[in-house]
Amino acid sequence: MENVDILTIAAHPDDIELTCAGTLIKMVDKGYSVGILDLTQGEMGTRGTPEIRAAEAEAACKAIGAKWRERLNFGDSRLTASIENRFALAEKIREARPRTVVLPYWEARHPDHYTAATLGYEACYAAGLKQLPVGGQPHRPKKIIYASMYWEVKPSFFVDVTAQWERKLAAINCFNSQFSGDLRDITELYPAWGKLLDRIATQCKYFGHLMGVEYAEPFVVKESMAVDDIVDLPVASV
Ligand SMILES: [Zn+2]
């Protein structure tokens, strides 16, 4: 596993495409390297088999321009923030040595999503402990940002992804098993993929308009942000 500037950790293949792929593509455009860790294989997904989703995840990785993607097998829909998982993930973080980690927001409808946030944070902390009984040199990422697309929360900041929008859609569309299959399973419980895409596009457009651009992705951070220049701050107040 090669070192990367940015490491994304999420529960299922397709989570990061929906929540933050535009931002990842933008960072690749800037010359940063990106690594993608999926904590589960997505085997409980309503549509598509794990094998199909693996091929789709690889295609999406290429579409984003990430350096690599690895899928762990912590168990779809039974993800826990256990000590074993924390240590295993901490070892991966030591290998990748990211400066910034992107996690899902810590409140969510799907238990795997909020569990991934907790597990990811705890693993980032553990990775820096010298005495941790795992391989690799201690490393702690400087920054953790939480992709908050799935939850109704006021974002700490937005990233303008207008120039990356078409490529974000292309990355999402790599998961085309989500489009096909038996349409009878499209019920209120399992909403159609098209509806989900529509929702993501509407949200990105709304967040974009809040900052005066076409499309933006939302993020939350726990700590306060610092600025150097109060004259050149983005986003108009009045
Ligand atoms: Zn998910």
Side-chain angles (χ1 to χ4, degrees), residues 11-12 14-15 110 113 150:
H12 315 111
D14 82 14
D15 282 344
H110 196 312
H113 294 166
Y150 286 157

mmCIF file of all heavy atoms in Angstrom, residues 11-12 14-15 110 113 150, ligand 1:
data_model
loop_
_atom_site.group_PDB
_atom_site.id
_atom_site.type_symbol
_atom_site.label_atom_id
_atom_site.label_comp_id
_atom_site.label_asym_id
_atom_site.label_seq_id
_atom_site.Cartn_x
_atom_site.Cartn_y
_atom_site.Cartn_z
ATOM 1 N N ALA A 11 -17.985 2.782 4.858
ATOM 2 C CA ALA A 11 -18.520 1.451 5.142
ATOM 3 C C ALA A 11 -18.648 0.599 3.883
ATOM 4 O O ALA A 11 -18.265 -0.574 3.879
ATOM 5 C CB ALA A 11 -19.876 1.583 5.838
ATOM 6 N N HIS A 12 -19.220 1.157 2.820
ATOM 7 C CA HIS A 12 -19.578 0.352 1.641
ATOM 8 C C HIS A 12 -18.984 0.929 0.368
ATOM 9 O O HIS A 12 -18.870 2.144 0.239
ATOM 10 C CB HIS A 12 -21.105 0.310 1.484
ATOM 11 C CG HIS A 12 -21.830 0.051 2.763
ATOM 12 N ND1 HIS A 12 -22.603 0.995 3.393
ATOM 13 C CD2 HIS A 12 -21.852 -1.053 3.549
ATOM 14 C CE1 HIS A 12 -23.089 0.479 4.509
ATOM 15 N NE2 HIS A 12 -22.645 -0.759 4.637
ATOM 16 N N ASP A 14 -19.308 2.499 -2.904
ATOM 17 C CA ASP A 14 -20.251 3.515 -3.442
ATOM 18 C C ASP A 14 -20.558 4.646 -2.451
ATOM 19 O O ASP A 14 -21.090 5.677 -2.841
ATOM 20 C CB ASP A 14 -21.532 2.952 -4.086
ATOM 21 C CG ASP A 14 -22.675 2.567 -3.124
ATOM 22 O OD1 ASP A 14 -22.645 2.941 -1.960
ATOM 23 O OD2 ASP A 14 -23.596 1.889 -3.596
ATOM 24 N N ASP A 15 -20.219 4.468 -1.161
ATOM 25 C CA ASP A 15 -20.474 5.553 -0.195
ATOM 26 C C ASP A 15 -19.702 6.817 -0.566
ATOM 27 O O ASP A 15 -20.261 7.907 -0.595
ATOM 28 C CB ASP A 15 -20.059 5.142 1.231
ATOM 29 C CG ASP A 15 -21.084 4.234 1.900
ATOM 30 O OD1 ASP A 15 -22.228 4.169 1.409
ATOM 31 O OD2 ASP A 15 -20.728 3.597 2.913
ATOM 32 N N HIS A 110 -28.059 4.379 8.399
ATOM 33 C CA HIS A 110 -27.464 3.035 8.347
ATOM 34 C C HIS A 110 -26.437 2.896 9.473
ATOM 35 O O HIS A 110 -25.488 3.683 9.539
ATOM 36 C CB HIS A 110 -26.776 2.848 6.993
ATOM 37 C CG HIS A 110 -26.468 1.415 6.676
ATOM 38 N ND1 HIS A 110 -25.863 0.561 7.574
ATOM 39 C CD2 HIS A 110 -26.698 0.685 5.552
ATOM 40 C CE1 HIS A 110 -25.722 -0.626 7.021
ATOM 41 N NE2 HIS A 110 -26.223 -0.583 5.795
ATOM 42 N N HIS A 113 -22.741 3.234 8.751
ATOM 43 C CA HIS A 113 -22.186 4.564 8.453
ATOM 44 C C HIS A 113 -21.720 5.258 9.727
ATOM 45 O O HIS A 113 -20.601 5.760 9.789
ATOM 46 C CB HIS A 113 -23.212 5.434 7.705
ATOM 47 C CG HIS A 113 -23.551 4.923 6.342
ATOM 48 N ND1 HIS A 113 -24.626 5.367 5.618
ATOM 49 C CD2 HIS A 113 -22.954 3.976 5.565
ATOM 50 C CE1 HIS A 113 -24.682 4.741 4.457
ATOM 51 N NE2 HIS A 113 -23.678 3.884 4.403
ATOM 52 N N TYR A 150 -25.141 12.489 3.771
ATOM 53 C CA TYR A 150 -26.262 11.604 4.114
ATOM 54 C C TYR A 150 -27.099 12.107 5.287
ATOM 55 O O TYR A 150 -28.100 11.502 5.624
ATOM 56 C CB TYR A 150 -25.728 10.212 4.499
ATOM 57 C CG TYR A 150 -25.226 9.337 3.370
ATOM 58 C CD1 TYR A 150 -24.313 8.323 3.640
ATOM 59 C CD2 TYR A 150 -25.675 9.479 2.066
ATOM 60 C CE1 TYR A 150 -23.855 7.475 2.639
ATOM 61 C CE2 TYR A 150 -25.223 8.648 1.059
ATOM 62 C CZ TYR A 150 -24.310 7.640 1.351
ATOM 63 O OH TYR A 150 -23.860 6.799 0.372
HETATM 64 ZN ZN ZN B 1 -23.331 2.847 2.630
#
